[in-house]
Amino acid sequence: MEQLATQFVSQFLQTSVLEWLAVMLAIAYVWLAARQNVWCWAAAFTSTALYTWIFWQVSLPFQSALNVFYMVMAVYGYWQRHHKATDNNQVVSWPFWLHALLVMVLAGVVVLLGKLAASQFNHEHLWLDAAVNVFSVVTTFMVAHKVLQNWVYWFFINCAAVYLYWQSGLALSACLFVGYVGFSLYGYIQWKKEWVSHSPVMN
């Protein structure tokens, strides 16, 4: 435990200015988004742009690519806010068999990407990097379609990201994703309440 604490302090003290800025902007995005402030998209875009560079520097190519995707989504979110009417779709729940099938398909994609990238990148956690990328992209679309179980996916994705970033020397980012783990639990509870309130009552 003492060695772990020493390692954390060492990584924390070595945190770059860019990582500090990326984390602060990520927190700002969540705070502004909760208040439905349009500036949340600027914070999201800048944070993910910084993370694109940060992850590339520590040989996490799939995390770098994931943040390019998030940059595009930030621009899309800004466009949606200004050019499209508010979507009032209700929360939906997918059956277990569909999630089981989806997880198997995504696992296959992860294996394929891992094998393709193994010849180009030499990172101990390349497969975990690919898994976080693939599942995050799909789960982002689940959020857009208000699928209740997206929060379950985010819980495991964020747990994996905490470990991945810690092992890559990004202690501050790992702390950020510990917070995201808690937020995924909160999100599930809130969406579950909405889903239950709109579900038909069984006689």
Side-chain angles (χ1 to χ4, degrees):
M1 183 62 70
E2 183 179 347
Q3 183 179 359
L4 188 64
T6 301
Q7 183 182 357
F8 174 79
V9 172
S10 176
Q11 287 191 17
F12 193 83
L13 292 175
Q14 294 175 22
T15 301
S16 68
V17 174
L18 284 182
E19 188 179 353
W20 271 104
L21 184 57
V23 169
M24 292 300 102
L25 286 169
I27 295 172
Y29 162 72
V30 174
W31 187 79
L32 292 169
R35 287 156 180 75
Q36 300 187 44
N37 188 311
V38 70
W39 283 100
C40 71
W41 301 115
F45 182 89
T46 308
S47 176
T48 52
L50 291 173
Y51 266 125
T52 299
W53 173 255
I54 291 168
F55 287 134
W56 185 261
Q57 292 299 301
V58 294
S59 300
L60 293 175
F62 290 108
Q63 295 307 294
S64 187
L66 177 62
N67 277 270
V68 172
F69 168 75
Y70 285 152
M71 287 172 63
V72 174
M73 292 301 291
V75 174
Y76 177 71
Y78 178 84
W79 180 87
Q80 284 276 89
R81 177 72 177 269
H82 282 81
H83 297 89
K84 195 172 182 180
T86 302
D87 187 1
N88 293 316
N89 289 339
Q90 297 177 358
V91 174
V92 298
S93 178
W94 286 356
F96 176 80
W97 69 265
L98 183 55
H99 290 291
L101 178 62
L102 180 61
V103 169
M104 287 190 292
V105 171
L106 294 181
V109 174
V110 169
V111 171
L112 178 61
L113 288 177
K115 287 184 176 181
L116 290 174
S119 61
Q120 301 296 324
F121 299 95
N122 183 23
H123 193 281
E124 182 181 359
H125 302 290
L126 185 62
W127 296 85
L128 184 59
D129 182 15
V132 171
N133 176 303
V134 171
F135 279 85
S136 293
V137 169
V138 173
T139 305
T140 299
F141 285 103
M142 290 174 63
V143 174
H145 292 280
K146 302 194 75 172
V147 178
L148 172 64
Q149 291 82 6
N150 86 84
W151 297 109
V152 178
Y153 285 74
W154 281 129
F155 176 82
F156 290 104
I157 291 169
N158 291 330
C159 286
V162 169
Y163 177 79
L164 179 63
Y165 300 159
W166 170 261
Q167 292 298 315
S168 300
L170 302 173
L172 187 61
S173 296
C175 290
L176 173 66
F177 275 76
V178 169
Y180 284 171
V181 170
F183 188 74
S184 63
L185 293 173
Y186 174 78
Y188 180 82
I189 292 171
Q190 296 303 309
W191 282 37
K192 182 68 176 291
K193 289 179 181 178
E194 181 181 338
W195 177 71
V196 170
S197 68
H198 290 98
S199 297
V201 178
M202 300 297 293
N203 294 324

